[in-house]
Amino acid sequence: MKKILAGLLVVIAALYFFINKQDSNTLVIYSALEQYRNDDLKAHLAEKFPGLNVQIMYMPTAKVAAKVQTEKESSDADIVLGIETGYMEKMKDALADVSEYSHLDYIEGMLPEHGKYLIWESYGGGFAVNTEILEKYGIDEPKTYEDLLKPEFKNRISIQNPKSSSTGYNFYLNLRNVWGEDKALDYFDKLNENVKQYSESGSGPVKLLIQGECAVGTALTYQVVTEINNGNPLKMIYPESGSPYSLDGVSIVKGKNDKQDVKDVFTYLVNDYLVYDKDHYNPGKILEGQESKMKNYPEDIKYADMTGIDDLELRDELLGKWKY
């Protein structure tokens, strides 16, 4: 009986969404951004477009790509946001040409020539440490990847699982590029001895650092700086090979670009809200002359070799060799 009731509730919810989606005043955005950023965006859109019912649905980047690539014009989504560029490339045939929407001055070479999406953000990372934990146990700050193999870090490290986290994959790919595949895999086998937890999400290690459960974690710069500004005893350290990074994008699902509401919202997103988002959430540089307004955000970050970041076949190959 419970299974039947649960099934009915799912059907009712789906019908409710379908009926609302038929309303010309409903616009759907599939977003892979953090929930707090989605909430803020929704509030801004409600103020800017009071006559629209904008629904922002959080969905992991790979799932968005799979759905849109399969459903194409029949997708519930009108706009996709915060999707890694590798997956944007994978579903580009299901996306509209949006090259004429942006009036911003992107860094040369930042935008794809085919025009099927615009870059939303650049996010890079490094080692985040809890300075109080290091001081408590008399542990020196790690400066290199090899430092994380030291016995004093046993059960004091958290990293992302690259199979579920793009942040984790960024570190994995960078080490493969710098050291070669065999040495990188051997390194992670050794590092496993010191890892307390593999996080499913990119922000997982930061949460453990704040809770004092770990001393070191791989993390995104903007997430760590946000927590530093919130008063948490964290510090960002970059390995010698540089900050692993990737890009994500924003676009309109093909066939939805003939709707005026979609055009209006997208134009606002990629010209006005994008700048607001860089000022308040992720200052990673994608625009000419872009200056960070986020307190404590580092300048002149050296970025790592991310050759192959958009190669999904390479991603599948490397993830197939990941043991943890």
Side-chain angles (χ1 to χ4, degrees), residues 204-240:
V206 177
K207 294 175 182 177
L208 291 176
L209 288 172
I210 292 172
Q211 294 164 5
E213 296 185 28
C214 286
V216 184
T218 48
L220 294 178
T221 300
Y222 76 89
Q223 293 178 343
V224 175
V225 173
T226 296
E227 294 305 331
I228 290 172
N229 292 340
N230 288 338
N232 289 297
L234 305 185
K235 180 179 179 179
M236 200 75 201
I237 300 170
Y238 297 103
E240 292 181 358

Side-chain angles (χ1 to χ4, degrees), residues 15-39:
L15 286 172
Y16 176 79
F17 179 80
F18 177 78
I19 291 170
N20 277 316
K21 185 66 178 74
Q22 305 315 300
D23 183 347
S24 62
N25 288 331
T26 297
L27 187 150
V28 176
I29 300 174
Y30 285 173
S31 172
L33 300 180
E34 298 94 334
Q35 191 58 50
Y36 66 89
R37 294 169 77 185
N38 288 335
D39 291 342

